[in-house]
Amino acid sequence: LINQAQIIFYSVLELKGIEKPQSVYRFIRLNNINQNKQSIKKLVGRDNELNNIINFSKPLFENKFAGTVNIYGEPGMGKSQLALQFIEKINDSVSLLTMESDSILKNSLNPVVYFLNKHFDQTNISDYAEKKKNFEKKFFFIINELSKSKIDYYKNLSDELIRTKSLIAGLIGIYYENSLYYKLDGQARYENTLYAVKELIKAESAIKPVILLIEDFHWIDEDTKNFLHILITNPEKINLLIIATARFNDDGSKPVLFPAGLLRQNHLELKSFDKNNVNEMIRIQLKAEPNNDLFQFILRKSEGNPFYIEQICTYLRENNLIRKKEKKIRLIKGKIEIPSSIQSLIISRIDRLSS
């Protein structure tokens, strides 16, 4: 678990109740989606939803704006895993851009800054000269790709990116003297920056179809929402599909990223696994068929939540609470103590692995 977790440096911030500024790190979920192709775990029980997304995404490969797929579900239902599985199927033919909302760091445009930091290779770099070098390298790679076409549209995109380069860079703490960034007042800089980032995504989609993955949009800030509305305004020349994941609101309703009728939308709701899917996932996790007692134990404890099933299976295996007999996996005899919540379960695993 520890080796699979991704933790990246975010910033140095002043925190309430703590005298000195603290380094803040971001925990990236297990198997987090990023710009590099990864090995994806086998998807269980979501074939219908996966085929739904594949069919919905067809306009993306016809050089059109495909709209947005909204994936809803409680924590652990596999929202990100479903998105990962879809992206893996087409990863060589698209560019993946990722925005992540955060329940703690709700700064203005935080998901956009997250995207730019990943896109321009700023993660885990504190040296300003290296940050600027990485930004320049990626930026002019995009400009060079656009220059390969003689079509006016590509040249206009390139010219606009060069004009607004300092605004994009300013969002991630890179500055150019006597640039447009310094010539605009605060409000004008804010507005022009949003359009500059839109031009960047348009440029990427001109080079290759783009999937914009927005994680946890139930935590999204209003300025990022404003940017997304700008992004989808007059989207005819943006070869883009948005995939957005979210939990339900406290009252059980679905958070809204885009109002109905504004664009083409597909809404998917992930529910708990049925018995067949629970059994299949146990077999994958434990590499053998469970006997009925073990199956019923995991079904009861997990309530069909895929992530709970995975963590319970790993906990039982790591603590030697199961054994194989007569070709089936079964619980050992005696009382089985297992943490009552998923948070406690994960903490107990980390404590064990750390000792």
Side-chain angles (χ1 to χ4, degrees), residues 109 111-112 190 194 217-218 220-232 255-258:
L109 297 174
V112 178
Y190 167 78
L194 299 188
F217 77 79
H218 50 281
I220 204 164
D221 64 281
E222 288 302 316
D223 286 333
T224 299
K225 265 192 174 183
N226 185 27
F227 163 72
L228 291 172
H229 280 262
I230 289 172
L231 179 64
I232 66 165
V256 176
L257 190 58
F258 300 110

Side-chain angles (χ1 to χ4, degrees), residues 129-175:
E130 186 177 358
K131 286 167 67 74
K132 198 167 189 176
K133 178 182 177 182
N134 285 1
F135 176 81
E136 293 271 336
K137 180 180 179 181
K138 178 67 176 181
F139 184 85
F140 284 107
F141 171 81
I142 298 169
I143 298 300
N144 184 61
E145 289 296 303
L146 293 173
S147 69
K148 293 178 181 179
S149 173
K150 302 302 181 182
I151 300 174
D152 287 344
Y153 173 71
Y154 288 80
K155 184 181 185 305
N156 293 338
L157 272 177
S158 178
D159 290 346
E160 183 62 13
L161 277 182
I162 291 171
R163 187 185 76 84
T164 59
K165 172 186 173 185
S166 63
L167 301 178
I168 298 170
L171 268 182
I172 51 176
I174 296 172
Y175 304 103

